[in-house]
């Protein structure tokens, strides 16, 4: 067999996940995404930095500092929605993935994939919004790339970003560090972004005044780090708080117990979720962080969050226990216990 045939014959060294074709569920951020990442990307790219499974790669560069790198692609539909747009989303999402590793985000690259026919004025609005978000986050957009594809081959525009930051060598905030006894804090209400985008689409017959929470969280996170000891942070984007807590429980091999009565949800979001049959625990957020912190420091960290505009609705939502390992459990409002699973398929495609 020639080398070319070998390549075109779909040679793959590992069993492929979930059937022969990619489906929307592979982009959900839930179980199907995780299977694709673990069984294909990590299995083939296979190295310890990637396989750690955090929001960003952490690479030692000297005795004093580690480099933190994250990449993200943005395909949200529509391009503009209440509270934000694809440009603000691209910058904030990238900044947040670097910041949740305890790092200071510094530089960002942007790659644009533009569809022939896109209005230049639309692109101008989006790029201006990106610069405004970058100013707020105090990061600089320092390199980029532009490609144009024929009409019909993309939907307006897609944006890919890469974020780079640094973290002092002694700081080790990762998904693996949650410990029994730790306290779980959520920085605000669940599901605002997902419901804002769905209602902007108008295709579910839903109208609401909900605005996306899309925001750069690095400023608040740096104040939180000064207030106390943080073991794990993650932004609950696609898959929502429920899926993100499951990722952490598995990475840290612990149980996370949450209380339904403590979960912050705006009444309008709760109502929209009820109408649409969604659970706010699985709806995307773009300006929220889950922090798992040392029990003794929880109040001090919560207080600085509540003083910050992006954390004013912060709540302690639960705690970390030893068992049942790798599980998330919720004590419901009526006193029963419910297992919170990872989101399985696709709930809302093209939400970010
Ligand atoms: Mg993230």
């Amino acid at each position: 067999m020639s080398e070319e045939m070998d390549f075109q014959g779909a040679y793959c060294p590992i069993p492929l996940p979930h059937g022969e074709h990619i489906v929307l569920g592979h982009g959900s951020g839930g179980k199907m995404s995780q299977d694709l990442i673990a069984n294909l990307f990590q299995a083939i790219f296979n190295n310890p930095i990637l396989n750690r499974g955090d929001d960003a790669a952490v690479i030692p560069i000297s005795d004093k500092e580690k480099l933190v790198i994250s990449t993200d692609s943005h395909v949200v539909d529509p391009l503009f929605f209440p509270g934000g747009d694809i440009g603000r989303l691209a910058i904030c999402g990238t900044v947040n993935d670097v910041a949740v590793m305890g790092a200071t985000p510094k530089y960002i690259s942007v790659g644009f994939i533009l569809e022939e026919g896109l209005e230049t004025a639309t692109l101008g609005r989006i790029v201006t919004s990106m610069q405004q978000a970058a100013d707020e986050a105090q990061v600089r957009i320092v390199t980029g790339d532009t490609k144009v594809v024929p009409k019909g081959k993309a939907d307006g525009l897609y944006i890919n970003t890469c974020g780079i930051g640094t973290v002092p060598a002694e700081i080790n905030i990762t998904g693996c560090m949650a410990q029994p006894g730790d306290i779980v804090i959520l920085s605000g209400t669940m599901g605002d972004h997902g419901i804002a985008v769905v209602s902007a689409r108008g295709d579910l017959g839903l109208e609401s005044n909900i605005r996306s929470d899309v925001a750069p969280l690095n400023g608040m996170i740096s104040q939180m780090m000064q207030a106390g000891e943080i073991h794990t942070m993650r932004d609950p984007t696609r898959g929502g708080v429920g899926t993100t807590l499951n990722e952490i429980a598995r990475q840290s091999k612990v149980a996370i117990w949450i209380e339904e009565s403590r979960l912050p949800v705006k009444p309008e979001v709760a109502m929209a979720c009820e109408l649409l049959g969604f659970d706010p625990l699985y709806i995307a957020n773009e300006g929220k962080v889950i922090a798992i912190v040392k029990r003794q420091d929880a109040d001090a960290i919560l207080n600085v969050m509540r003083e910050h505009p992006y954390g004013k609705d912060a709540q302690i939502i639960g705690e970390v226990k030893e068992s049942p390992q790798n599980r998330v459990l919720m004590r419901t409002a009526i006193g029963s216990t419910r297992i919170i699973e990872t989101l399985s398929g696709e709930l809302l495609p093209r939400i970010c």
Side-chain angles (χ1 to χ4, degrees):
M1 194 190 287
S2 75
E3 245 174 68
E4 194 183 348
M5 274 179 68
D6 208 18
F7 182 67
Q8 291 186 342
Y11 165 77
C12 188
I14 48 131
L16 292 170
H18 280 295
E20 290 181 12
H21 299 278
I22 292 298
V23 298
L24 284 170
H26 286 122
S28 64
K31 185 157 186 350
M32 290 184 76
S33 301
Q34 289 165 9
D35 283 351
L36 184 69
I37 292 168
N39 299 331
L40 198 146
F41 296 128
Q42 289 180 336
I44 296 175
F45 294 147
N46 192 21
N47 68 73
I49 296 173
L50 177 72
N51 293 358
R52 199 153 175 183
D54 279 315
D55 279 1
V58 180
I59 302 164
I61 47 169
S62 74
D63 293 347
K64 291 196 176 111
E65 266 187 334
K66 294 178 282 193
L67 197 63
V68 175
I69 306 180
S70 177
T71 187
D72 230 320
S73 297
H74 303 273
V75 298
V76 67
D77 171 35
L79 298 176
F80 299 89
F81 45 83
D85 57 76
I86 190 171
R88 180 169 172 83
L89 189 64
I91 298 303
C92 296
T94 308
V95 162
N96 293 344
D97 278 347
V98 173
V100 294
M101 306 310 296
T104 305
K106 292 181 176 165
Y107 302 109
I108 290 189
S109 78
V110 290
F112 292 98
I113 297 167
L114 310 175
E115 184 190 10
E116 178 189 23
L118 176 73
E119 285 182 24
T120 317
T122 303
L123 182 60
R125 266 177 78 191
I126 289 166
V127 171
T128 304
S129 173
M130 293 176 88
Q131 183 54 44
Q132 285 168 348
D135 286 341
E136 184 186 345
Q138 295 186 301
V139 294
R140 279 202 276 177
I141 299 164
V142 290
T143 184
D145 177 55
T146 310
K147 297 286 191 312
V148 180
V149 296
K151 198 164 186 57
K153 301 287 184 186
D155 195 1
L157 82 155
Y158 305 140
I159 302 175
N160 173 269
T161 48
C162 171
I164 293 186
T166 55
V167 60
E170 67 273 15
I171 290 179
N172 195 22
I173 295 175
T174 94
C176 320
M177 294 294 285
Q179 293 157 29
D182 284 353
I183 295 294
V184 183
I185 305 175
L186 174 61
S187 67
T189 52
M190 299 189 299
D192 301 6
H193 175 75
I195 295 300
V197 172
V198 170
S199 73
R201 259 180 224 167
D203 55 4
L204 294 173
L206 174 76
E207 278 178 47
S208 80
N209 298 318
I210 302 292
R211 292 170 66 79
S212 167
D213 56 352
V214 56
L217 299 173
N218 51 327
M220 180 174 76
I221 286 173
S222 81
Q223 291 176 16
M224 290 162 61
M225 289 171 64
Q226 281 163 27
E229 189 177 309
I230 300 174
H231 294 154
T232 297
M233 279 189 283
R234 190 158 294 173
D235 53 339
T237 53
R238 276 172 312 168
V241 170
T243 300
T244 303
L245 289 174
N246 268 281
E247 288 169 14
I248 297 168
R250 271 200 310 277
Q251 261 184 289
S252 292
K253 301 182 175 64
V254 294
I256 297 178
W257 288 75
I258 57 174
E259 282 186 43
E260 188 174 27
S261 62
R262 288 172 167 264
L263 292 172
V265 189
K266 290 196 170 88
E268 310 93 286
V269 171
M271 205 164 32
C273 283
E274 210 167 302
L275 277 171
L276 299 169
F278 295 155
D279 184 334
L281 267 172
Y282 296 108
I283 306 285
N285 310 275
E286 289 292 343
K288 299 288 153 43
V289 61
I290 291 170
I292 299 191
V293 309
K294 190 177 170 186
R295 177 172 288 264
Q296 294 88 322
D297 294 348
D299 286 336
I301 294 168
L302 184 67
N303 287 340
V304 304
M305 293 170 84
R306 284 183 172 168
E307 277 167 29
H308 196 282
Y310 294 144
K312 61 181 169 34
D313 299 321
Q315 287 280 357
I316 288 174
I317 61 165
E319 63 185 319
V320 179
K321 294 186 180 183
E322 245 163 69
S323 67
Q325 225 180 42
N326 307 337
R327 282 294 199 182
V328 179
L329 291 109
M330 181 169 81
R331 235 180 291 283
T332 68
I334 54 164
S336 59
T337 300
R338 177 183 146 198
I339 295 171
I340 304 297
E341 303 277 7
T342 297
L343 178 67
S344 59
E346 181 57 289
L347 195 61
L348 300 167
R350 297 188 58 187
I351 208 73
C352 59

